[in-house]
């Protein structure tokens, strides 16, 4: 087989192999029927009309040459099926193995029990399940830290306010130590 030369950007035309100067390129060629809209769906022209005879095609199936005779409708139907099959195959090849990602997630995070909604949304957008879960876990830890900071701030504020209070409750400090008078000892013996 001869190697084809590409002449992009050159002045000389691209001609068939074996052609010599002065030959008629179209001599002996059969006149192909013009496209018609007879029998065509949605007015799309078809070559040879609706009553075009079946044609024989040479195909290579499983590395073997095979001759198949098909009508134009059969060719179109088979092409549509093959395109649909190819599209389905591409989707399957691009599909993720979530089961393996979940197993890896369970190995990395033994406390993992279910996939949170936020993780599922990130995974659906193309993020790996493990990294989406790590992001979610980081956000949960940040929320917990923020809650603890707020709780700590409130406790400090309460302690500061209690330290600044000028008057303590009547029984706030417990019984007095070594109360000197009988009156004070009698007063503290009563349970309120």
């Amino acid at each position: 087989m001869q190697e084809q030369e590409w002449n992009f950007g050159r002045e000389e035309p691209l001609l068939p192999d074996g052609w010599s100067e002065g030959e008629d390129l179209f001599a002996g060629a059969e006149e192909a029927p013009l496209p018609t809209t007879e029998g065509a769906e949605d007015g799309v022209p078809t070559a040879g009309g609706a009553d075009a005879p079946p044609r024989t095609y040479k195909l290579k199936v499983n590395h073997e040459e095979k001759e198949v005779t098909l009508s134009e409708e059969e060719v179109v139907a088979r092409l549509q099926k093959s395109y649909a099959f190819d599209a389905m195959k591409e989707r399957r090849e691009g599909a993720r193995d979530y089961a393996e990602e979940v197993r890896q997630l369970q190995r990395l995070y033994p406390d993992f029990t279910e996939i949170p909604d936020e993780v599922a949304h990130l995974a659906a957008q193309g993020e790996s399940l493990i990294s989406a879960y790590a992001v979610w876990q980081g956000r949960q830890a940040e929320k917990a830290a923020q809650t603890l900071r707020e709780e700590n701030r409130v406790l400090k504020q309460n302690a500061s306010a209690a330290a600044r209070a000028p008057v303590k409750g009547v029984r706030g400090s417990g019984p007095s130590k070594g109360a000197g008078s009988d009156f004070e000892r009698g007063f503290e013996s009563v349970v309120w």
Side-chain angles (χ1 to χ4, degrees):
M1 184 172 166
Q2 235 179 336
E3 189 171 310
Q4 179 75 31
E5 270 190 48
W6 298 101
N7 62 352
F8 293 112
R10 288 197 242 156
E11 297 284 325
E12 52 194 64
L14 184 62
L15 299 170
D17 292 335
W19 183 79
S20 60
E21 190 72 36
E23 279 187 43
D24 185 5
L25 286 175
F26 303 104
E30 293 181 19
E31 182 103 8
L34 294 174
T36 64
T37 56
E38 291 177 19
E41 294 179 21
D42 301 328
V44 177
T46 59
D51 56 343
R55 295 179 63 184
T56 302
Y57 300 93
K58 287 185 179 182
L59 305 175
K60 206 170 211 181
V61 179
N62 292 332
H63 306 289
E64 294 179 18
E65 286 197 19
K66 200 175 191 183
E67 285 192 10
V68 179
T69 303
L70 300 170
S71 69
E72 188 172 328
E73 290 102 21
E74 290 174 316
V75 170
V76 170
R78 289 186 185 203
L79 276 173
Q80 287 174 339
K81 285 180 185 178
S82 71
Y83 284 136
F85 179 77
D86 289 346
M88 180 185 68
K89 190 175 173 184
E90 285 175 11
R91 279 193 304 268
R92 279 190 187 159
E93 288 172 357
R96 293 170 55 179
D97 185 10
Y98 284 106
E100 179 58 31
E101 287 187 54
V102 168
R103 282 191 290 276
Q104 289 175 354
L105 195 58
Q106 288 171 330
R107 280 192 298 265
L108 290 171
Y109 300 99
D111 60 333
F112 171 76
T113 55
E114 66 180 45
I115 298 174
D117 289 340
E118 187 177 338
V119 173
H121 290 298
L122 287 172
Q125 294 172 356
E127 191 77 29
S128 79
L129 201 54
I130 294 170
S131 62
Y133 189 77
V135 166
W136 175 81
Q137 199 172 39
R139 288 179 183 160
Q140 294 303 310
E142 182 58 37
K143 285 179 188 176
Q146 182 63 32
T147 302
L148 290 173
R149 281 193 289 270
E150 182 63 25
E151 187 178 318
N152 192 22
R153 186 189 63 77
V154 168
L155 289 173
K156 283 181 180 178
Q157 186 177 5
N158 289 346
S160 172
R164 286 179 294 173
V167 179
K168 301 225 185 239
V170 175
R171 297 197 48 134
S173 61
S176 61
K177 295 177 184 159
S181 71
D182 289 334
F183 174 76
E184 288 177 347
R185 278 191 296 265
F187 188 81
E188 289 183 357
S189 66
V190 176
V191 177
W192 297 86

